[in-house]
Amino acid sequence: MNISIQLFINIIIISYIESIYQSTVIFSSLGSEFQSENNLDLFLSKTVSKRILCIALCNQHRLCYTFDFDFISGRCRLFESNLRTGSIIVSSSSSSIVGIIKLTSNLYQSIHDQSCQICEHNRYEICSSIKNTCQCPLHTFWNGSICLLQLYENRTCLQIDGCRKDFNLTCSMDVYGKFLQCSTVSPSALPFGVTVVGLYNGTSNDNDTILSGPRGIAFSNNGSLYVTDATYKVIRFPQNSRIGQTVMTYLSNPAMITFDQTLSNFYVSIPYNALVQMWPSNNTIPPNPGTASCTTDLLYFTIGVAVDSLGNVYIASTLCNWVTKWSLNATNGTLVAGLSTANAGNDNWSLNWPFGLFLDELNENLYIADYSNHRVQKVILNGSGYGVTVAGGNGAGVAANQLNSPTSIIASRYDGAIYIADRNNNRIQKWLVNATFGITIADSPSGIAGNTPYLLNWPFDIKLACNEECLYVSDNRNNRIQRFYLQ
């Protein structure tokens, strides 16, 4: 057959293969072969008669990112590697060539984070059993636009998950979160927290960069971090910035803060003023605050606050041992948890100093950090006020099945696990659904207080972020906001 005709046919076949697998192959010059950093990346070597068969073979294996083929010997090798984790070198055979699968954002923009049906027969992503959406396959990570291969030890990395987890590697950081290189994780090492706001060593000051007794934290739609500070103000930190700006000031210390994504309002609880103030509207709950009182038209030492998509606000009147629900523009609240007598108790209908709140609107559950009962209660919002203990409840203590004065909780939207700021134990606990004990994910299980990147001192509030891949903690007595990556 005429060489030019054969070449044309090969081009047509290659184009056809690329269209099936939505792939584009970039070829090296002849006389080249591929060399990966790790010999394990070569996962298949066989003899085929044509280059197009080697291309097809690579595209049929999700692990294949690079192949090399020898036109004379027919050797076809497939690698779980590309130029991030390997290199093209001069081959001893002048008839050898390297092909690399080109990865572009167009391959991922219609599938990443989408329903698993979208990637059922896709080459580039797989269905995550945890998130139940299309995610990056094994040994890769999401960089914001494509799935990149994870790196090996001592390589410079730019993301916490940019290193081979199966080799027990992580992207190490300095105390302020600057990524360094892929390093081995010690099995006995405590979780490493990076300081995103404040000073890593716990120094305090009354300015917009150095915090003093931070309490509540919340994120806006644009990723800005809002912090309630013991200097009677709320400070806004733009995304990835350590320089803040005061946006709200008060006559007494604010406590918790939450953001309403529907109405774009912030709700700030101010305990000693017995109210919740909205920003930027500056409206208050109750609308006409008066003397603190355990009546449903007033509040008393307000701390926890949560809001649903309809604008209903749930508020913990801590000294009334109850939680009330306030409809939009309401002048009275409705009791949803705790006793109408405002008495403290430890049964399923009672609370004792309710602190932080988390609303699971989808499942109609309200989680309450029941501070002085050293437990977390889940109340079904059906009007009964009956609560089920989902964490703690075994007295104050440092054992895995105990809590000591919990202040904040948040639940995962993926698996229902709850994260708890276990304040007097200086740790963050994770309790799986129906678990009888918690797992320490920040600080030490024994509750040691400290100001190193591994320790906390009175964690006050917590928030999940980064698609639930990291947890932010207001480290109250260390005057800083810490970020822990969840792995």
Side-chain angles (χ1 to χ4, degrees), residues 129-132 358-363 365 367 378 390 409-420 429-433 441 462-471 486:
S129 59
I130 298 175
K131 298 182 178 180
N132 201 30
F358 177 78
L359 178 64
D360 176 9
E361 187 174 1
L362 180 63
N363 297 302
N365 294 324
Y367 292 86
K378 181 176 74 173
V390 292
I409 65 277
I410 192 166
S412 167
R413 69 179 186 272
Y414 295 125
D415 60 8
I418 58 173
Y419 298 83
I420 307 164
Q429 296 291 92
K430 177 181 179 180
W431 284 62
L432 300 175
V433 175
I441 62 167
I462 54 176
K463 289 291 185 296
L464 285 168
C466 324
N467 203 20
E468 294 199 7
E469 293 179 356
C470 55
L471 184 80
L486 306 176

Side-chain angles (χ1 to χ4, degrees), residues 30-172:
L30 281 169
S32 305
E33 64 180 61
F34 190 75
Q35 180 175 286
S36 62
E37 289 184 29
N38 193 297
N39 292 333
L40 294 176
D41 290 338
L42 172 60
F43 67 90
L44 182 64
S45 179
K46 65 182 303 182
T47 301
V48 296
S49 59
K50 298 180 183 299
R51 176 175 61 168
I52 55 176
L53 297 178
C54 193
I55 297 172
L57 200 59
C58 179
N59 274 297
Q60 290 166 13
H61 288 79
R62 181 177 278 120
L63 293 177
C64 184
Y65 294 87
T66 302
F67 64 89
D68 59 19
F69 174 73
D70 192 294
F71 286 94
I72 295 177
S73 68
R75 184 187 72 172
C76 172
R77 301 191 301 171
L78 307 186
F79 297 87
E80 187 188 15
S81 180
N82 56 21
L83 295 180
R84 284 177 53 81
T85 55
S87 57
I88 298 173
I89 62 173
V90 176
S91 174
S92 59
S93 171
S94 60
S95 57
S96 177
I97 195 169
V98 176
I100 297 177
I101 303 296
K102 183 180 180 181
L103 302 178
T104 66
S105 59
N106 291 335
L107 297 170
Y108 298 91
Q109 61 184 7
S110 63
I111 59 172
H112 189 73
D113 267 339
Q114 301 303 308
S115 167
C116 284
Q117 293 178 339
I118 302 297
C119 55
E120 186 176 357
H121 302 292
N122 187 274
R123 186 194 194 289
Y124 300 101
E125 292 208 331
I126 61 173
C127 177
S128 167
S129 59
I130 298 175
K131 298 182 178 180
N132 201 30
T133 55
C134 298
Q135 299 294 322
C136 293
L138 193 66
H139 305 158
T140 67
F141 70 100
W142 182 247
N143 78 336
S145 59
I146 64 175
C147 295
L148 292 177
L149 282 167
Q150 293 175 328
L151 301 171
Y152 290 106
E153 192 168 14
N154 298 325
R155 291 288 302 279
T156 301
C157 46
L158 298 175
Q159 284 186 213
I160 189 68
D161 53 355
C163 306
R164 288 288 292 259
K165 293 182 180 179
D166 57 320
F167 280 53
N168 200 30
L169 298 176
T170 188
C171 189
S172 60

